[in-house]
Amino acid sequence: MLKKLVSSYCFLLSISAFLLGSYMFLGKGAFADFPPEWIGIMPFSSWNSLALFGMIVFGIGNAGAGIYGLLTKSQKVFLLSIILGTWLFLAAELPIILIGEWYLPLVFLFLASAIQVLLGVIGLLTNKGEKRCGKNLSY
């Protein structure tokens, strides 16, 4: 049950990454103009490059983790969830470190990454507890 929840959450984050990346590519709303003060400081010089990075790492990465979790009996999806959640947390922290400013969307990214890491940790701890008790882990 928890494995399916973690896999589903990975899919949700994947869809969100592709949706946000699409908004960046279209240049609508908050993504109309790339902040000029970010150029030369941030590792990206346009919304398009940032969108492409997010779609590849977080979109494809989370989709792969979700598929892996649903199609295999392996419990490695919990570890993948922790890794991807940590990467999201670090990526969200980058503007704070480099520019020294907080932006409202970062709060949502921190929350999403914390949930993903927490689900992965709970899954690993639950899995170890079940192995110690000798329960069958096949779903």
Side-chain angles (χ1 to χ4, degrees):
M1 175 68 175
L2 185 59
K3 189 174 152 197
K4 288 181 182 179
L5 176 68
V6 171
S7 299
S8 298
Y9 189 72
C10 287
F11 275 124
L12 178 68
L13 291 179
S14 174
I15 292 168
S16 299
F18 282 113
L19 184 63
L20 188 60
S22 299
Y23 288 143
M24 288 180 182
F25 273 125
L26 294 174
K28 298 206 175 202
F31 304 112
D33 295 316
F34 192 77
E37 62 271 9
W38 288 13
I39 298 174
I41 298 173
M42 293 290 284
F44 305 101
S45 58
S46 71
W47 288 122
N48 290 342
S49 58
L50 183 59
L52 189 59
F53 174 79
M55 290 172 141
I56 291 171
V57 173
F58 301 112
I60 295 174
N62 278 303
I67 291 169
Y68 181 81
L70 292 175
L71 296 182
T72 67
K73 292 186 178 189
S74 173
Q75 304 298 311
K76 290 181 183 176
V77 70
F78 300 126
L79 184 59
L80 290 172
S81 178
I82 293 169
I83 291 169
L84 287 166
T86 303
W87 285 354
L88 181 58
F89 183 87
L90 294 174
E93 193 176 342
L94 196 61
I96 298 168
I97 293 170
L98 295 178
I99 300 169
E101 295 182 19
W102 274 80
Y103 299 96
L104 185 60
L106 296 181
V107 174
F108 298 110
L109 293 176
F110 284 135
L111 181 62
S113 68
I115 292 170
Q116 189 171 23
V117 169
L118 185 63
L119 285 172
V121 168
I122 291 170
L124 283 179
L125 293 176
T126 303
N127 186 30
K128 285 183 182 181
E130 288 177 352
K131 280 185 179 178
R132 253 183 280 149
C133 294
K135 292 184 181 178
N136 185 3
L137 294 177
S138 62
Y139 294 113

